[in-house]
Amino acid sequence: MINGRIRKSISWNKDESNICLNPMMDLSPIVSSLALLVTLQEWPWRELDPTRRTGTEVRMNRPRFIATASAIIDHRITHWKLPCQIADYLTLDLRIKITSPNTAKSGRLNFSNDVVVIDGKGHLLGRLASIVAKQALTGQRVVVVRCEELNVSGSFFRNKLKYHAFLRKRCVVNPARGAFHFRAPSRIFYRAIRGMIPHKTARGAAALDRIKLFEGVPPPYDRMKRMVVPSALRVLKLKPGRKYCTIKRVSHEVGWKYNDVVANLEEKRKVKSKAFYERKKAIANVRAKATTAKASELAQVQEKIAALGH
């Protein structure tokens, strides 16, 4: 449906030198993102007029533009039949890192093509879900590991009662139609994120595809730098003395069968990680001693390097 709208809403000349919109067609958000692309990215083809729909300029905020423009790249050739110049420009320009001024000022993650790996341990489930959802909508790829260690405010008994109340919500005619009650911690977290995303739209579906959730720390993420989100940490956002529980205990009580398996794998991973860190420290100490021993010989070299501005 979106691709049909775009083919009908956009036309170009034979020389592919300018682009115009069909004023008789309804401009979808993706089409309006093309209009914004002219302003933000200085497209050389300026003949794009989004004002013919209602007489007012079609505007989008920058995070939504970035997410929508990313969706354009994914559909640029197979569904659209765009001219090669336009397709190449979208690919070249939008695959570069784009930093949103609003997110940079707020201290949140900045949009990039790199994967951000978040360690879920000690984070509040709802707060972390809202941040992950927002970042995915802006185009950031996010991986959350150790979802079983996420915290939920409220006592364990209270959260268990809430989940059992959730289990009673089903289709009476045919329960196979839904609702589907996820037991695994990563799937519970996924459902929380999905509720914060317009997942029935192309933009929301693309955002969900950028999110990966895991119990434990599977490879290759066990060798990647993991981050925390201060605005979602329990020790910072939950008042001291308040009750809380871990999501893995609730999942285990309602039917998750892999609590022990994940725990054993995590023990093995921590042993390997500790050995790697000790070896890394030993190599760093040897390098520091060698640098200290040869400092007098390297003094002249260091002066030349400093004179070059390094």
Side-chain angles (χ1 to χ4, degrees):
M1 179 177 65
I2 293 176
N3 302 327
R5 281 185 183 181
I6 293 210
R7 283 197 297 271
K8 294 176 182 178
S9 300
I10 300 180
S11 60
W12 43 81
N13 294 342
K14 293 181 179 180
D15 59 353
E16 300 179 358
S17 60
N18 57 18
I19 303 174
C20 60
L21 300 181
N22 185 351
M24 301 302 295
M25 299 304 299
D26 182 22
L27 300 183
S28 65
I30 292 184
V31 176
S32 60
S33 70
L34 280 174
L36 193 61
L37 185 64
V38 176
T39 304
L40 292 184
Q41 304 299 328
E42 297 181 358
W43 202 338
W45 304 293
R46 309 289 295 190
E47 301 296 328
L48 185 61
D49 182 14
T51 63
R52 300 177 64 180
R53 179 187 177 192
T54 59
T56 58
E57 187 177 354
V58 179
R59 296 177 181 271
M60 295 178 66
N61 57 34
R62 188 179 177 88
R64 185 176 179 186
F65 157 74
I66 294 172
T68 311
S70 299
I72 292 175
I73 297 176
D74 297 333
H75 298 84
R76 66 188 185 276
I77 295 175
T78 56
H79 300 285
W80 277 26
K81 300 180 181 178
L82 280 178
C84 296
Q85 292 179 357
I86 302 175
D88 293 342
Y89 181 82
L90 289 173
T91 306
L92 175 64
D93 196 59
L94 291 177
R95 291 305 185 190
I96 302 174
K97 291 184 179 181
I98 303 174
T99 303
S100 173
N102 297 330
T103 55
K105 292 179 181 179
S106 62
R108 296 182 179 179
L109 301 174
N110 292 328
F111 172 80
S112 70
N113 287 328
D114 299 330
V115 178
V116 174
V117 183
I118 299 176
D119 189 349
K121 182 176 181 180
H123 291 79
L124 291 172
L125 187 144
R127 287 179 176 269
L128 184 61
S130 64
I131 294 171
V132 170
K134 186 66 175 179
Q135 292 302 318
L137 285 171
T138 58
Q140 178 66 55
R141 291 190 295 163
V142 183
V143 175
V144 182
V145 297
R146 290 213 285 184
C147 289
E148 76 279 4
E149 297 291 345
L150 288 169
N151 295 144
V152 183
S153 60
S155 65
F156 162 72
F157 186 69
R158 178 183 177 87
N159 284 291
K160 184 179 177 181
L161 290 180
K162 288 169 67 176
Y163 196 90
H164 278 285
F166 170 59
L167 288 177
R168 291 195 294 272
K169 293 176 174 59
R170 65 189 182 95
C171 178
V172 178
V173 177
N174 184 6
R177 295 177 182 175
F180 303 105
H181 311 97
F182 301 130
R183 265 74 169 188
S186 62
R187 301 303 290 170
I188 293 175
F189 187 48
Y190 168 82
R191 189 183 175 97
I193 295 174
R194 190 186 68 179
M196 302 176 185
I197 290 177
H199 63 279
K200 294 186 179 181
T201 65
R203 173 173 168 259
L208 283 178
D209 290 340
R210 299 186 193 100
I211 301 172
K212 292 184 179 181
L213 310 172
F214 299 98
E215 288 90 10
V217 189
Y221 305 111
D222 55 344
R223 295 179 178 271
M224 296 176 65
K225 183 179 180 63
R226 297 184 289 277
M227 302 182 181
V228 297
V229 183
S231 58
L233 286 175
R234 174 187 55 81
V235 293
L236 299 178
K237 293 300 179 178
L238 192 65
K239 185 177 180 180
R242 298 295 189 189
K243 296 180 179 179
Y244 68 93
C245 68
T246 55
I247 195 66
K248 67 177 180 181
R249 187 180 176 189
V250 178
S251 296
H252 180 67
E253 291 287 333
V254 297
W256 184 47
K257 302 177 181 179
Y258 300 99
N259 189 24
D260 296 335
V261 174
V262 173
N264 291 335
L265 291 174
E266 278 295 283
E267 289 181 2
K268 295 178 181 179
R269 181 190 65 81
K270 290 177 182 178
V271 171
K272 293 181 180 179
S273 179
K274 184 178 180 180
F276 170 78
Y277 182 66
E278 294 296 333
R279 186 167 62 253
K280 182 179 178 180
K281 285 200 303 183
I283 294 174
N285 290 335
V286 171
R287 179 173 296 176
K289 291 180 181 178
T291 303
T292 303
K294 299 293 183 177
S296 58
E297 299 179 10
L298 295 175
Q300 296 180 355
V301 178
Q302 293 294 340
E303 289 179 359
K304 293 180 181 179
I305 294 175
L308 296 174
H310 297 286

